[in-house]
Amino acid sequence: MKRFGLFQLGTLDFALSLQQIQKVIQDSKLYQLPRLPLAVAAVLVDNDRLVPLLDLSLLFGGGSTTGTKTLRYQILVESEYGTVALPAELTGKIVAEKKGTLSTEASPKEAWVIGEFDYQNTKYKILDINFLAIEMTQNFWRNKPDTSGARRHPL
Amino acid sequence: MAATTNKNLIFRLGGIGFLLDLDHVVEVVEQIAEILDPSRSDIGRGIVSALKFRKTWIPVVDPALKLGLISSVKIKEKTALVLQGIEGNWAILVDQVVELSSGEHLRLCDTPFLLKVSAMGCYSELLLLNNEPLVVFEPERHYGSDFVPV
């Protein structure tokens, strides 16, 4: 049975496959490093390893790096390229796929979305965490669709 | 695990903690306003000023420029760390010297794979002290024969 973690950040309601979520931490101390990519707000330390915190506010243009750094919750998510942290405003819900409606249609405008999960009249965008991890940490991030789709990952 | 047995100087620059092997350090100069001459700069070599040290002028490098850091401390209010170099003494400007630390409290910490590209040219080693990442400051990246201007 597939389950999703549902979270909120500003106007963005997003979902992650529960298999990808390592943990949710609260009030983690955030640090800067020289020449962090623009879409990486900070790094945090978890069990002696550094984890880049992605600035998800860039996905909806509704915030800033500063805002991302003041959020209380960070979700540690496993990508193919290593663990990344995502900011969230609330500790999320864990919901089984059958409790909502899943659509795996890719969004032509949002290359970082691999589907949508409709739960209690809220549409949660399912994030392509591998795409975001690479795009946001390697300074590729443009907040525009990648027309080639070469780096997209299926749900 | 202890990363090194040497004594290290910990300083802050642009809000980031750095660690420098004390073997590199000749002297820490805290009051530099009267002995700094910004007109003697050579930006192409990363030199932002000259510092009068032991009756001679030595080059001063601001690592914040190469590292892309924004410091809120004015240049004349910074602390100069005079370092040994192949071509003689030179100095770096830092915001604040924090403490001396022995290696026993430091833990090795890998640079995450996703940040390796952004770290390239800036640093190659990170250590943890009290769960805070410190960047190991490598003087040769900033001045001397191996220096590559950005």
Side-chain angles (χ1 to χ4, degrees):
Chain A
M1 179 179 63
K2 193 173 177 76
R3 289 182 294 172
F4 290 102
L6 307 180
F7 302 92
Q8 188 187 12
L9 176 71
T11 57
L12 175 69
D13 296 304
F14 65 95
L16 298 161
S17 165
L18 197 62
Q19 286 176 318
Q20 293 177 304
I21 299 173
Q22 293 178 351
K23 63 169 97 167
V24 178
I25 50 181
Q26 186 178 351
D27 294 330
S28 179
K29 200 157 183 191
L30 303 177
Y31 299 96
Q32 288 298 308
L33 287 176
R35 298 214 177 271
L36 277 181
L38 291 177
V40 175
V43 294
L44 56 88
V45 181
D46 177 63
N47 288 333
D48 284 357
R49 64 180 176 156
L50 291 186
V51 181
L53 174 68
L54 305 185
D55 188 0
L56 283 196
S57 66
L58 296 172
L59 299 185
F60 56 92
S64 65
T65 299
T66 310
T68 294
K69 286 191 284 191
T70 58
L71 292 166
R72 295 189 62 191
Y73 299 97
Q74 290 90 32
I75 313 155
L76 300 198
V77 187
E78 199 176 314
S79 81
E80 287 179 6
Y81 314 102
T83 303
V84 293
L86 307 179
E89 283 164 9
L90 301 168
T91 50
K93 299 184 266 286
I94 295 171
V95 176
E97 181 186 329
K98 66 180 181 185
K99 299 268 187 183
T101 309
L102 179 65
S103 153
T104 55
E105 221 169 277
S107 164
K109 289 182 180 173
E110 296 164 323
W112 40 274
V113 174
I114 48 175
E116 209 166 65
F117 185 64
D118 193 334
Y119 175 70
Q120 293 183 344
N121 298 320
T122 302
K123 292 182 190 307
Y124 293 86
K125 295 176 193 293
I126 303 169
L127 302 187
D128 184 341
I129 202 66
N130 294 319
F131 178 88
L132 288 173
I134 282 291
E135 295 280 321
M136 299 186 97
T137 60
Q138 308 306 305
N139 276 329
F140 300 146
W141 184 253
R142 297 185 309 278
N143 200 21
K144 296 269 172 64
D146 181 341
T147 49
S148 72
R151 284 189 289 273
R152 300 198 57 158
H153 297 73
L155 183 62
Chain B
M1 181 174 64
T4 171
T5 53
N6 292 344
K7 285 268 187 187
N8 299 285
L9 184 88
I10 294 170
F11 66 86
R12 292 201 174 277
L13 182 58
I16 296 173
F18 289 85
L19 182 137
L20 173 63
D21 189 330
L22 202 57
D23 285 347
H24 293 294
V25 181
V26 177
E27 193 167 317
V28 176
V29 184
E30 288 190 312
Q31 304 289 333
I32 61 170
E34 303 299 320
I35 53 172
L36 202 65
D37 183 358
S39 70
R40 299 183 182 207
S41 64
D42 182 354
I43 296 301
R45 297 174 65 206
I47 299 167
V48 296
S49 185
L51 182 82
K52 197 166 192 182
F53 178 70
R54 295 179 185 168
K55 297 180 182 172
T56 186
W57 290 95
I58 63 170
V60 177
V61 169
D62 184 355
L65 298 178
K66 185 179 171 90
L67 298 172
L69 304 177
I70 297 169
S71 167
S72 58
V73 181
K74 292 176 185 167
I75 186 166
K76 291 193 170 181
E77 293 168 4
K78 285 179 177 267
T79 297
L81 305 183
V82 179
L83 309 180
Q84 288 176 344
I86 299 166
E87 299 160 14
N89 290 336
W90 61 291
I92 59 170
L93 296 177
V94 306
D95 292 350
Q96 180 195 10
V97 171
V98 180
E99 63 176 359
L100 287 177
S101 174
S102 59
E104 65 199 45
H105 301 298
L106 297 164
R107 297 194 307 281
L108 290 168
C109 176
D110 289 334
T111 303
F113 171 75
L114 288 166
L115 297 181
K116 282 193 189 293
V117 172
S118 66
M120 213 177 283
C122 292
Y123 59 92
S124 59
E125 197 178 357
L126 295 166
L127 296 169
L128 289 176
L129 178 65
N130 302 325
N131 225 32
E132 177 184 357
L134 299 177
V135 177
V136 176
F137 187 83
E138 298 158 82
E140 64 277 7
R141 288 184 185 269
H142 296 266
Y143 183 70
S145 54
D146 294 335
F147 169 72
V148 180
V150 285

